[in-house]
Amino acid sequence: MKRFIAGVLVSMTIFSASISIAEEKVVDGIVAVVNGEIVTMYELDYKMTPIMKQFSGGDLSAVEIERLKKIRKQLLDRMITEIIIDQESKRMKVDVTDQEVDGEINAIKEKSNLNDVEFERQLELQKTTLDAFKDKIRKDIRKHRLLSYKVKNKVVVTDEEIKAAWNSTKTEQGEITKSVHLKLILFPATTSAEDVRKEILAGDITFEDAADKYTTGPGMGNGGDLGVLNWDDLAQTWHDALDGLKPGGISEPFDVQESKALLKLDSYEKTEEASFEESKQELYDKLYQKKQDKLFADFIKKLREKAVIEYK
């Protein structure tokens, strides 16, 4: 549930940073119908607002226009998936009480250090109402309960799998990596992470020069250098991106919030002896997450295959 609260807080931050929808020309209409439930152009345009802000201030090139079309399609598909999940949770009669919704909102206020007046102000900045926000919270709780029932309870990780994973993380000296020196490129929506990765691998540009040219995240102006980081402090998506890389290696593009990113594993900075028992829980968590992600993707694929989706 802590991740759920954190996710809502991130959403609040993103929305409050968005430019006002009232300042944009909104042409309403239907862009998709999902099992009879419509997705309006207004809703899609609202979700696109933070991205469109990056493209303001000049004429768009043909490449930028195609990039925007791709982002818009991805965002619409994400909205459709959310609708399908919510429809399935209702079909499965996943109930959420008003008290549970109010409890989550109170937790959000506490985490954000907001009183009632400040919270209402945040809602105004997001161009939403308390009832609409409650509806979003209710849908999020239903979604997490549905996925817990349909996905999490089916994940099984065996001791043999954990042992194999432990062996694969050991260095030639029989040590376990605890710290890594990383460099990061966090790409703007206008730039293809895959294309830049190909340029780096071809030797047309160094990772560090590409970071100075493109990155919108930490390490700007310093070759994307993040310094030495504790392995345990990295998110699971970063662990997955670094899986199998050797020093000097470049990861495949992966998602960091709404952006694409590349990592360079500069070096292993510190290693120490670690037993199987000491590493067992961490390895279990990693394997569990991978299996859960796979089951989740399969579950969503089946739901979408059964759904009647019409693009307008």
Side-chain angles (χ1 to χ4, degrees), residues 68 138 164 174 260 278 298:
L68 268 177
R138 191 181 303 276
K260 288 292 183 182
E278 290 172 330
D298 292 341

Side-chain angles (χ1 to χ4, degrees), residues 35-49:
N35 292 327
E37 185 172 342
I38 66 171
V39 181
T40 67
M41 187 178 294
Y42 177 90
E43 292 170 318
L44 181 56
D45 285 344
Y46 182 68
K47 295 283 189 181
M48 283 288 295
T49 300

